[in-house]
């Protein structure tokens, strides 16, 4: 029997004995008993009862804790799953013990889990206080370690950090975040000997613009790397450890650059690659021995989510990008070196590559240019996050240029895009669409992307900048189209193409057929927004969203306002022009 249980038994027995001695008395108050006549006797019994109360309070707390631990839903999770959930709540981008302390303050169970699991204590940070690193090293004596040497520590902090890092076996080093500066240069020599167990490498040289060249001599022996984020530094790009990557991000590399054959080998051997960003990689020249043969097989990256080549040597971009097959990619940015913009060839694989980011975009701009550098520029609002690879979150979208030399070629491209989008069976999220056409040959009709419009049910704003002066009538004819939906044998429903369109903006410098355009617009308004319904057939027509803005060239706006148009729209409010007074 435990001491507490023995104490309770003795104390309760004494208490009950006193109560029993009073059972024949007319009073129920034990203080009337002769046993408690003295002050010391009373104090003794008070002490006994207070100690019993303390014991019971502790037992109640233990029982509450046990009840919570054994019957709370979250505590019924397997410990390994609970640990994974807690790890997701840790802000690893700014890891520190204070944030861990807040997480551990939720309950004793959470606190015990965090203190006993070394996975919460992997970071050895040069900018942390010495006692914080000591605590992390104590809580994680044998597990993997993430070493952060960044920013601008003072000499004392750097010396203490290096001393702590030297006590960690190199087999425990899991990742390195190294910011090469004059203050941290002394750490590089030690780092060169600690690369054999690394799986994540994040290196930055902010002085690359001043010609400072730095490389990390990655050991050829060791596990495959997982995340590689290199900025202004070099690696042995032919290393066998640069395979099975999940991330490859290369920025501001002007020396020790990867040759096309090295990049090809890395990408071809990394089918699980999720993020590929190559930015500002522009060497003076490419080693001819590093070029790719023209018969190189495609690079298949089935789970790639982000593809970015920006301001990259044309010799690298022309060699690598056309070979990439990544139909699940949601963020694609391909731009050329300096003023020379790289243009993708409009082939089937190209449109398969672009289909997903176009579908995911909420706004899209199509700019067609003929003459000189003829191209179709497809652009939405993608975002390539500049943060370290661990914490980067890209925004879906597309920004590419396609090679095209004629209006007929452009029409074929619209058809190819329609086929690819149709094969996926999904509508886009596009709410705003901008179309620009500039050409050296006036008078030819602009082939509108009618197939794309059929995949834009959420489109609300359509802007068209037309240098040819021939785009308005095809556009109006397109907006008058109806799509039939069969709902049963006795009823059918028709809906307008782009049913949510309520802002149409058309800009043109020269309009050859101004009168015909005004008539076409009048017919469009009366048909799509009639003053009353005269449809007596069994077919039902879904009403479109009322037009709020019809922005036109001033001459066309004046002609349209002067017409007698049968519509429920308030044309004085709807028809606008930036060149009209009032």
């Amino acid at each position: 029997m435990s001491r507490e249980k023995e104490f309770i038994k003795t104390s309760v027995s004494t208490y009950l004995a006193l109560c029993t001695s009073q059972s024949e008395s007319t009073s129920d108050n034990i203080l009337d008993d002769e046993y408690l006549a003295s002050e010391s006797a009373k104090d003794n019994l008070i002490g006994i009862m207070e100690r019993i109360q303390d014991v019971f309070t502790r037992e109640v707390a233990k029982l509450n804790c046990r009840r919570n631990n054994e019957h709370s839903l979250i505590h019924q999770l397997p410990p390994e799953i609970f640990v994974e959930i807690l790890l997701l709540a840790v802000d690893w981008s700014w890891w520190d013990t204070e944030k861990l302390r807040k997480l551990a303050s939720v309950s004793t169970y959470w606190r015990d889990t965090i203190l006993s699991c070394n996975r919460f204590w992997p970071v050895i940070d040069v900018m942390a206080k010495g006692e914080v690193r000591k605590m992390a090293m104590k809580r994680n004596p044998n597990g993997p370690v993430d070493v952060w040497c960044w920013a601008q520590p003072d000499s004392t902090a750097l010396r203490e950090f290096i001393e702590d890092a030297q006590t960690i076996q190199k087999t425990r080093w899991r990742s390195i975040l190294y910011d090469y500066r004059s203050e941290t240069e002394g750490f590089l020599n030690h780092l060169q000997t600690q690369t054999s167990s690394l799986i994540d490498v994040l290196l930055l040289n902010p002085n690359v613009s001043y010609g400072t060249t730095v490389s990390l001599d990655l050991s050829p022996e060791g596990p495959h790397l997982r995340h590689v984020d290199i900025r202004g530094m070099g690696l042995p790009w032919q290393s066998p450890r640069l395979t099975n990557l999940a991330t490859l991000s290369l920025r501001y590399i002007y020396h020790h650059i990867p040759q096309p054959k090295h990049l090809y080998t890395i990408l071809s051997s990394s089918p699980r690659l999720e993020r590929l960003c190559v930015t500002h990689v522009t060497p003076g020249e490419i080693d001819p021995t590093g070029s790719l043969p023209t018969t190189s097989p495609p690079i298949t990256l089935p789970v790639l989510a982000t593809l970015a080549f920006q301001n990259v040597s044309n010799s690298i971009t022309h060699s690598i990008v056309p070979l990439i097959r990544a139909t699940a990619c949601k963020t694609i940015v391909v731009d050329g070196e300096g003023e020379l913009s790289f243009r993708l060839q409009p082939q089937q694989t190209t449109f398969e590559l672009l289909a997903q980011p176009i579908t995911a975009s909420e706004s899209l701009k199509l700019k067609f240019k003929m003459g000189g550098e003829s191209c179709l520029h497809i652009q939405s609002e993608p975002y390539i996050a500049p943060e370290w690879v661990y914490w980067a979150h890209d925004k879906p979208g597309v920004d590419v240029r396609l090679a095209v030399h004629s209006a007929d070629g452009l029409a074929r491209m619209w058809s190819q895009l329609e086929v690819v989008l149709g094969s996926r069976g999904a509508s886009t999220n596009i709410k705003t669409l901008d179309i620009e056409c500039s050409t050296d040959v006036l008078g030819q009709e602009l082939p509108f992307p009618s197939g794309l419009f059929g995949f834009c049910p959420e489109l609300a704003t359509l802007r068209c900048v037309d240098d040819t002066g021939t785009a308005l009538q095809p556009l109006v004819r397109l907006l008058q189209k109806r799509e039939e939906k069969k709902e049963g044998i006795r009823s059918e429903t028709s809906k307008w193409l782009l049913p949510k369109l309520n802002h149409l903006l058309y800009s043109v410098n020269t309009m050859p057929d101004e009168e015909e355009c005004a008539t076409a617009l009048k017919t469009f308004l009366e048909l799509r927004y009639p003053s009353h319904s005269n449809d007596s057939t069994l077919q039902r027509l879904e009403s479109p969203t009322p037009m709020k803005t019809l922005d036109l060239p001033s001459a066309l706006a004046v002609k349209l306002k002067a017409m007698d148009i049968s519509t429920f729209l308030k044309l004085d409010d709807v028809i606008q022009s930036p060149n009209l007074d009032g």
Side-chain angles (χ1 to χ4, degrees):
M1 184 179 296
S2 67
R3 293 181 60 187
E4 287 187 348
K5 290 182 179 180
E6 183 66 31
F7 171 78
I8 293 173
K9 181 180 178 181
T10 303
S11 301
V12 171
S13 298
T14 302
Y15 180 81
L16 291 176
L18 292 173
C19 292
T20 302
S21 67
Q22 289 290 102
S23 60
E24 297 179 357
S25 174
T26 57
S27 174
D28 292 330
N29 188 352
I30 65 173
L31 295 178
D32 293 337
D33 192 272
E34 294 181 357
Y35 177 79
L36 296 177
S38 67
E39 181 179 358
S40 60
K42 295 182 180 67
D43 290 340
N44 183 52
L45 185 57
I46 290 172
I48 291 174
M49 295 174 69
E50 288 178 345
R51 292 183 64 184
I52 293 175
Q53 182 179 3
D54 290 341
V55 171
F56 282 171
T57 300
R58 290 196 299 270
E59 290 300 317
V60 168
K62 291 179 182 179
L63 187 57
N64 278 328
C65 182
R66 180 179 174 184
R67 180 195 61 187
N68 293 336
N69 288 345
E70 295 180 1
H71 301 286
S72 174
L73 292 179
I74 195 170
H75 293 162
Q76 293 179 27
L77 291 172
E80 60 274 13
I81 296 180
F82 180 60
V83 166
E84 295 297 333
I85 294 174
L86 283 182
L87 287 170
L88 292 175
V90 177
D91 182 7
W92 294 107
S93 60
W94 294 101
W95 180 95
D96 61 34
T97 55
E98 182 60 32
K99 293 180 179 180
L100 276 185
R101 185 178 292 110
K102 291 180 180 179
L103 196 63
S105 65
V106 174
S107 73
T108 303
Y109 180 57
W110 287 37
R111 177 181 180 276
D112 292 343
T113 301
I114 291 173
L115 291 179
S116 61
C117 181
N118 60 14
R119 295 179 63 189
F120 293 94
W121 306 88
V123 178
I124 304 299
D125 186 356
V126 69
M127 298 303 292
K129 295 181 180 180
E131 55 266 26
V132 171
R133 285 199 304 273
K134 298 298 184 185
M135 181 183 298
M137 296 169 68
K138 177 182 178 181
R139 298 294 178 187
N140 181 20
N142 302 307
V145 174
D146 302 320
V147 182
W148 293 2
C149 185
W150 61 295
Q152 297 176 315
D154 58 47
S155 57
T156 301
L158 180 62
R159 184 183 68 255
E160 294 177 351
F161 166 78
I162 295 177
E163 291 174 355
D164 289 340
Q166 288 175 339
T167 64
I168 302 171
Q169 296 178 344
K170 65 180 181 180
T171 56
R172 295 177 55 202
W173 286 49
R174 176 177 60 178
S175 73
I176 176 66
L177 190 162
Y178 176 53
D179 187 350
Y180 176 83
R181 300 173 184 265
S182 58
E183 294 86 356
T184 62
E185 186 175 5
F187 179 68
L188 182 59
N189 291 335
H190 179 65
L191 175 59
Q192 299 284 15
T193 65
Q194 305 294 312
T195 64
S196 59
S197 62
L198 293 175
I199 59 173
D200 297 336
V201 179
L202 297 86
L203 306 175
L204 169 64
N205 174 20
N207 299 317
V208 64
S209 57
Y210 299 102
T212 304
T213 61
V214 185
S215 292
L216 179 65
D217 298 329
L218 185 67
S219 170
E221 303 296 330
H224 297 300
L225 295 182
R226 179 181 56 175
H227 298 300
V228 175
D229 193 332
I230 308 296
R231 309 181 184 202
M233 294 183 65
L235 280 181
W237 303 112
Q238 70 280 10
S239 172
R241 296 176 63 186
L242 290 170
T243 58
N244 291 319
L245 296 178
T247 301
L248 178 61
S249 181
L250 308 178
R251 300 173 186 262
Y252 305 103
I253 301 179
Y254 310 122
H255 311 280
H256 306 293
I257 68 162
Q259 300 295 318
K261 68 175 184 181
H262 297 150
L263 266 180
Y264 179 83
T265 300
I266 293 171
L267 299 178
S268 298
S269 59
S270 299
R272 294 178 293 179
L273 192 70
E274 299 175 7
R275 191 170 191 259
L276 172 60
C277 298
V278 185
T279 305
H280 294 284
V281 180
T282 54
E285 61 182 46
I286 292 290
D287 184 351
T289 62
S291 59
L292 287 179
T294 56
T295 57
S296 299
I299 303 170
T300 302
L301 302 173
V303 297
L304 187 71
T306 297
L307 168 62
F309 273 65
Q310 297 176 277
N311 196 22
V312 179
S313 170
N314 287 332
S315 54
I316 295 177
T317 306
H318 278 280
S319 300
I320 299 298
V321 173
L323 296 176
I324 294 177
R325 307 290 183 264
T327 57
C329 196
K330 293 183 178 180
T331 306
I332 296 180
V333 178
V334 181
D335 205 351
E337 177 184 358
E339 297 298 325
L340 300 176
S341 298
F342 176 74
R343 294 178 296 159
L344 293 170
Q345 294 302 314
Q347 52 196 5
Q348 181 71 15
T349 54
T350 302
F351 290 102
E352 291 175 352
L353 184 67
L354 300 180
Q356 188 68 16
I358 289 176
T359 301
S361 299
E362 292 191 357
S363 65
L364 191 66
K365 184 175 183 179
L366 307 173
K367 185 174 183 180
F368 174 57
K369 176 183 178 183
M370 280 189 62
E373 294 288 331
S374 300
C375 68
L376 170 65
H377 189 182
I378 303 178
Q379 182 181 25
S380 60
E381 298 179 352
Y383 175 71
I384 308 299
E387 291 83 10
W388 289 113
V389 61
Y390 278 165
W391 314 301
H393 295 284
D394 304 318
K395 179 182 177 182
V398 58
D399 189 353
V400 300
R401 290 172 172 82
L402 303 180
V404 58
H405 303 287
S406 67
D408 290 340
L410 181 61
R412 288 192 295 271
M413 292 167 63
W414 296 143
S415 297
Q416 287 178 291
L417 182 58
E418 180 181 358
V419 169
V420 171
L421 291 175
S423 66
R424 290 173 174 259
S427 298
T428 70
N429 295 320
I430 297 173
K431 296 180 175 62
T432 302
L433 178 62
D434 286 62
I435 300 176
E436 292 187 22
C437 177
S438 59
T439 177
D440 293 339
V441 183
L442 297 179
Q444 62 178 340
E445 186 173 304
L446 174 70
F448 259 80
S450 56
L452 178 61
F453 284 3
F455 294 93
C456 301
E458 301 299 319
L459 186 66
T461 300
L462 175 59
R463 300 186 183 95
C464 180
V465 179
D466 176 26
D467 285 351
T468 68
T470 61
L472 183 59
Q473 293 193 57
L475 176 58
V476 169
R477 289 195 299 269
L478 185 65
L479 296 179
Q480 293 176 185
K481 287 182 60 177
R482 302 181 187 182
E483 296 179 336
E484 294 186 359
K485 300 189 302 181
K486 293 186 178 181
E487 298 179 345
I489 299 176
R490 307 188 65 179
S491 65
E492 293 181 348
T493 300
S494 290
K495 67 175 183 178
W496 297 101
L497 186 67
L498 307 181
K500 297 184 179 181
L501 183 69
N502 56 14
H503 297 282
L504 176 60
L505 300 91
Y506 178 73
S507 175
V508 64
N509 292 326
T510 303
M511 184 173 292
D513 303 316
E514 194 172 280
E515 195 70 38
E516 292 183 14
C517 289
T519 302
L521 280 171
K522 176 180 182 296
T523 303
F524 159 67
L525 293 172
E526 291 180 336
L527 182 63
R528 184 158 172 145
Y529 312 103
S531 58
H532 62 276
S533 175
N534 57 2
D535 191 355
S536 60
T537 66
L538 292 177
Q539 187 181 62
R540 295 182 292 110
L541 180 62
E542 295 180 0
S543 299
T545 300
M547 182 70 71
K548 293 182 178 179
T549 304
L550 182 58
D551 196 319
L552 302 170
S554 57
L556 187 58
V558 170
K559 284 184 177 295
L560 198 58
K561 284 188 175 183
M563 290 181 171
D564 183 17
I565 302 176
S566 178
T567 176
F568 69 82
L569 298 177
K570 296 181 179 179
L571 295 183
D572 288 339
D573 297 332
V574 172
I575 299 176
Q576 302 177 10
S577 173
N579 298 322
L580 286 178
D581 294 332

